[in-house]
Amino acid sequence: MQLFYEDYLNNLNELHSDIENALDGLTPTALDWVPQPGMNSIGVMVFHLTGAERYLIGEVIAGDNSNRDRDAEFKVQGMELNALLKRLADNRAYISGVLEGLTLADLETRRMFRHQREVTVGWVLGHALKHTATHMGQIQLTRELLDRTKH
């Protein structure tokens, strides 16, 4: 794997590690907890961000159909911690395989995003990392709020 993609994967692994730390010890009830009506639970955010990663890197970049149902990601409930951790691990393994096959020249290759606009592979990779980082922060904040409600 080229160094750029190794660095990218290291950044993604760090984000996933931070997410896993925020998930530590959570029960299905805690994973479904929302601070206020209309907000997303930690379980929903993890399920959604893994769906987005798989779509962006798998479908948009690699051309593998992700069979993604984005709307269903926001309705997930009752997930076990181990199932969410497995989704994160499976994504890391899958993404590593996709990145292994890319060259630096591929960063400029154009792809269709949401069947609406043309973007580069480089843009998709940056967008995927940004999206995961945004939800990582939301997960950490929701975990802090959850922990405060227990006291």
Side-chain angles (χ1 to χ4, degrees), residues 33 42 138-149:
W33 179 83
I42 290 172
Q138 293 170 334
I139 289 165
Q140 289 173 324
L141 181 58
T142 303
R143 175 63 192 256
E144 285 182 35
L145 294 171
L146 171 65
D147 288 345
R148 288 182 185 186
T149 66

Side-chain angles (χ1 to χ4, degrees), residues 16 19-20 23 26-28 31-32 41-48 50 76 78-92:
H16 279 204
I19 292 166
E20 289 167 351
L23 297 176
L26 294 180
T27 64
L31 289 166
D32 287 343
S41 69
I42 290 172
V44 162
M45 287 186 275
V46 174
F47 206 87
H48 167 66
T50 54
V76 167
M79 293 292 298
E80 294 284 336
L81 176 58
N82 286 338
L84 293 174
L85 294 174
K86 183 177 182 335
R87 282 180 68 90
L88 288 163
D90 288 350
N91 267 18
R92 285 192 303 275

